[in-house]
Amino acid sequence: MRQKIDEILKSDIIALDTETTGLNVRKDKVIGVGVASDAHSLYIPLLVWEGTELQPTQYLEDANYLLQQLKNKKLVLHNAAYDLRIIKHDLGIDLLSALHCDTILLKHTLEETPPFSLKDIAVKNAKALGYDRDPTEESKELKASIEANGGKSTKDCYELYKADVNVIARYCEQDCKLTLAVYNYYSKKLIDEGLVDFYYKDEVLPLYKFVSIPMMERGIKLDMPKINRAKEEISFDLIRLEKEVQDGIKTYSSDFKAWFFENEYPVKTNGNFAQAVANYYELELPVTKTGKLSVARGAVESLPESDGKSFLLGHMQLPADIIEELQMKMHGETVGEYFININSKDHLKRIIFSFLGEKPERHTEKGAYQLDDSYLQSISHKYSFIPPLLVYNKLNKIKATYIERFLKESENGIFYPQFNQHRTISGRFGSDIQQLPRNKDSGDELVLKYTNIIRSFFIARPYHLFVDSDYESLEPHIFASVSGDKGLQDIFNNNMDFYSTIAIMTEKLTNVSADKSSDNYLGKVDKEARQRAKAYCLGIPYGMESFKLSKDLDIDQREAQSLIDQYMKAFPQLKQWMDRTDLAVKSVGYVTSLVGRKRRMPEAVSIFNKHGDSILDSLQLWKDYHEQGALYEDMKEKRWKLKNCINNGRNFQIQSLAASVVNRSSIAINLELAAKNIKAFIVCSVHDQTIVECRVEDKEAVAEIVQRNMENIIKLPVKLKAPPSFGKNFADSH
DNA sequence: CGGGCGAGCGCC
DNA sequence: AAAGGGCGCTCGCCCG
């Protein structure tokens, strides 16, 4: 074994992979370690399943020797955040500083869209990687081995550690080799595309090593007593609200249930009811192509005598209690004491659209009637059960998504968030903690109470507090900078209000000011005008058309078009930037952010080359093709795709640069804190906000470091502002 | 029963 | 005639 290890250690670049008992880096165990160099590969088992329990192997010392030596190597891993954290936690060896490359992030830098799993990448680039395995066969074999040894192999309970050790060893070694192949393949591309510095030096990997992984490792303390109290209280409120809703529904009919069953599950000798009857009486009928029982007359007649048969032949009625039993079954088991599940959109739609006869306003993408908050609002004055239902829905969301989840996922009172660098095209983090509701100051009292408590669940550790710095309207600042429009940039450089200025210049408003301190500041004297501008200031540049704008603002479409035209006229350099972007998308099929991150959209080029600009003219498309069925559908689809590429190309340059600004400032902050030996760490990064946890006595020093780095990390035509605030929890540090 | 997906809603 | 962009989580429902 030692000899094999030393063979591997001759290489400078080494791929590493672990096999573990599960996915929790703090609870699960490493069962084996795999490594590969260009010439060799090796798997060292640490724990082996012995039928009833995991037993340590004789190789623990060898593994330790290997891992210690790896500290001086250049490590390549696929999803290193996972392997390195579990190695550190379980085996006590920190290899983060030896991390040379993560192939997920390498792939993402060069191909920003999925797949990102090692095997899917391999399949997609099989030829280039010399990959000749079949991952579906492999997972089947693994599954079979797990199950043969009495283990479970479902997604939520994948007991890999129960598979035969030689099977695990083979796959682990192969994955290590594959990681190395992926590394070699994409490294060439990285050089070809001139992204070496972007990846290794300026952003991707430094962010990973100095921010993302430490941030996930540290986690955030939760106020467990407070969450538990909130759960009790909200549960109580939900029970009361549900009763109100259910009682309200009942008042619309003396016998709602009977009506409901009659309409939704009519007693018939065919269709769903017949199926239910056949199942109830266990009638031995032939099965049709669609998997249903055939209740064709001939088939039924050949059955032995039974009530079910007589009913299906129309010879007798079924007893009322059996009918109700069958209907109840078709309706589905209901929750608790109520026959309607008010969490079920399906049930509510039947009540509102079928029973009460309300007309739906809109359809979902798949064509179903839309039953969302805004629709319910619109009919709430007509029915007493809707207002409590609206509150119930909000509270239910809060309870499930923000109270129960954090209770369930807390580990010793700490929540460990995910910060994925490969889950967004723009380079933002993909995280499970960025949707915490913002504190609100108006609305229903109960909704307010629970909405505003969520952020306060996240608390600083004892003797610590949070330094929380948000960029002031980061997206508009970046937008003004990237567009190159002098007029837009002047807004910020003259300290004016963004939306007010654009509204005044676009709509030629008079006697109002964009100066926030002025007596006739638009946001003060005509709040709604400023609010309207919010609907289009960024929307129009990102591709919103008059059709949608007219709906959003509830104005005539010609008026909306004129708004768009006036906006473009008022900021001519913005228009030029939009045109330049569109041209780039159509001609070369990609756009690049100011710091070099790319978004590739090759399909735009092929569509444009084939059809030219005319494909974007939906009216022309309609005139030319609407009588040609499928062809028209195809052309519409192409229009949508190209339009989408263009919109994405515009949005990407803004969103991606904003992400880079936040990312790079985070790197600089953590590096400076470390260099100055201040024990403070970024614990959360959300789009335009950075939260650092530090000791109380360091707060001023930390705040200065945070603000200075955030405001100066990238020089732009518009100066960025990121004033810090302090707090003991996420709610009051904002 | 487990997995996938649509709908809805939270964030920037 | 007609889709501003980027995400993640939960639920109910459907299907294999």
Side-chain angles (χ1 to χ4, degrees), chain A residues 13 16 18 90 142 199 225 253 264 303 371 392 399 429 451 509 524 595 605:
Chain A
I13 291 188
L16 170 67
T18 57
D90 186 32
L142 211 48
Y199 179 80
S253 164
E264 299 298 329
L303 291 168
L371 189 74
Y392 176 90
K399 183 181 178 222
F429 281 119
T451 302
L509 306 176
K524 215 161 48 186
V595 294
V605 179

Side-chain angles (χ1 to χ4, degrees), chain A residues 401-450:
Chain A
T401 311
Y402 303 109
I403 296 181
E404 285 176 340
R405 174 153 75 98
F406 293 124
L407 275 181
K408 195 170 73 219
E409 294 190 11
S410 94
E411 296 175 33
N412 297 322
I414 308 280
F415 175 71
Y416 294 93
Q418 279 295 320
F419 291 97
N420 293 311
Q421 276 178 240
H422 67 283
R423 298 284 286 265
T424 69
I425 290 162
S426 65
R428 282 178 168 186
F429 281 119
S431 172
D432 53 2
I433 203 188
Q434 49 194 9
Q435 305 92 336
L436 301 180
R438 280 275 169 208
N439 279 18
K440 296 193 166 46
D441 48 21
S442 65
D444 178 273
E445 205 180 307
L446 216 47
V447 174
L448 224 51
K449 170 184 164 183
Y450 290 112

Side-chain angles (χ1 to χ4, degrees), chain A residues 210-371:
Chain A
F210 303 128
V211 182
S212 312
I213 292 177
M215 197 158 52
M216 290 190 279
E217 254 183 332
R218 186 173 174 88
I220 307 163
K221 191 169 165 57
L222 293 168
D223 189 337
M224 298 303 287
K226 195 172 194 172
I227 306 180
N228 277 305
R229 272 200 310 277
K231 188 186 169 181
E232 300 239 324
E233 286 175 32
I234 203 167
S235 303
F236 183 79
D237 283 324
L238 278 165
I239 289 169
R240 188 178 47 75
L241 281 162
E242 163 148 39
K243 184 161 173 23
E244 248 182 82
V245 175
Q246 296 279 6
D247 288 350
I249 292 171
K250 277 185 204 146
T251 62
Y252 292 96
S253 164
S254 53
D255 195 353
F256 177 77
K257 194 164 152 187
W259 175 92
F260 195 84
F261 281 167
E262 240 175 78
N263 284 273
E264 299 298 329
Y265 314 108
V267 177
K268 293 197 308 193
T269 55
N270 56 16
N272 289 338
F273 194 83
Q275 293 290 316
V277 171
N279 282 317
Y280 182 82
Y281 288 98
E282 296 175 3
L283 303 182
E284 295 194 3
L285 291 163
V287 179
T288 67
K289 270 183 297 193
T290 55
K292 306 239 164 161
L293 297 172
S294 169
V295 288
R297 201 169 180 90
V300 177
E301 275 172 346
S302 61
L303 291 168
E305 290 309 314
S306 73
D307 285 0
K309 174 181 177 182
S310 306
F311 169 77
L312 287 177
L313 292 173
H315 297 157
M316 68 169 268
Q317 286 296 314
L318 292 174
D321 57 330
I322 289 182
I323 290 177
E324 195 178 321
E325 192 182 333
L326 289 171
Q327 288 172 323
M328 204 63 185
K329 240 185 194 154
M330 293 164 74
H331 185 58
E333 299 307 319
T334 52
V335 194
E337 63 198 285
Y338 300 114
F339 138 81
I340 301 250
N341 178 1
I342 61 172
N343 293 322
S344 163
K345 284 269 170 279
D346 189 52
H347 288 190
L348 288 176
K349 276 182 196 169
R350 290 170 199 225
I351 292 168
I352 290 168
F353 298 127
S354 306
F355 176 57
L356 296 171
E358 285 297 329
K359 292 274 164 291
E361 268 173 6
R362 288 164 297 133
H363 295 262
T364 67
E365 204 180 321
K366 299 283 167 192
Y369 291 158
Q370 193 128 36
L371 189 74

Side-chain angles (χ1 to χ4, degrees), chain A residues 122-139:
Chain A
V123 170
K124 221 183 144 193
N125 302 291
K127 249 196 193 142
L129 297 171
Y131 181 77
D132 56 2
R133 294 146 56 193
D134 179 353
T136 54
E137 281 306 314
E138 291 181 3
S139 55

Side-chain angles (χ1 to χ4, degrees), chain A residues 23 46 74 210 263 322 403 409 443 464 492 568 627 658 698-699 702:
Chain A
L23 293 176
L46 301 177
K74 290 181 159 179
F210 303 128
N263 284 273
I322 289 182
I403 296 181
E409 294 190 11
H464 285 69
F492 295 111
M568 295 298 101
E627 286 175 352
D698 292 330
K699 62 183 255 195
V702 169

Side-chain angles (χ1 to χ4, degrees), chain A residues 71 73 75 84 94-100 209:
Chain A
K71 284 181 178 171
K73 298 294 175 181
L75 300 182
L84 296 188
D94 189 350
L95 293 172
L96 183 58
S97 59
L99 175 63
H100 171 63
K209 292 171 83 161

